[in-house]
Amino acid sequence: MDHHEELPSAVAAEALLTLTEEHHARAARPLGTREAAGHLVKVYAIEAPGRTVTDGDAEAALRVADAHLGLGRLHGSLGLAVLVVHAGGDGDYVLVHTWIEGYMSDLAVFVGPAGQPDLLRPGRAGLAPCVWEAAVLAHERDAFSRNVLDGTGPLAARLTAWGADTVEGTVR
């Protein structure tokens, strides 16, 4: 099949083209490294145009992360996590990405209506990061490998380097 002339039946050409027309940059910024449920947690904000992640939003997301990470040992957690607080165009999202044993990671996605952090609930089964969240998590995969796995020196120094290795600016 020549994909230049004929697309497979499952390809939603119109929907894909609509996405390309509406795709835009979103602001991403680090909010520091905190502690939740005994984990070191690197926190990020992602903001859709016209939306802002407030200190209150970040604190609410940390409470969600604390509750989720409280079971970390049962998931094989290594004690390092990334928290993404996303003030999206259609609601709010909180992602808790945890490094676990065997070079793997655990991801929990929480969703809720815009500006109502007390209504954040686990996302549906199979929900994965959107393109903007995935950009931050891709950086974090590289930062973990670069600073922790491939780093040199004492672990505390590696973790300090990991905490300082952030992405800031626009993500697409």
Side-chain angles (χ1 to χ4, degrees), residues 23-29 44-48 51 53 82-97 107-112 120 123 126-141 167 170-172:
H23 187 234
H24 58 275
R26 292 203 173 172
R29 59 187 166 90
Y44 283 96
I46 299 176
E47 299 163 333
R51 299 285 320 279
V53 172
V82 175
L83 176 63
V84 178
V85 186
H86 186 178
D90 60 350
D92 290 340
Y93 301 85
V94 169
L95 283 71
V96 183
H97 179 265
L107 177 67
V109 180
F110 299 86
V111 301
L120 287 165
L127 185 62
C130 72
V131 295
W132 300 284
E133 296 156 354
V136 170
L137 294 178
H139 170 86
E140 282 304 315
R141 179 261 174 226
V167 61
T170 58
V171 292
R172 293 187 65 82

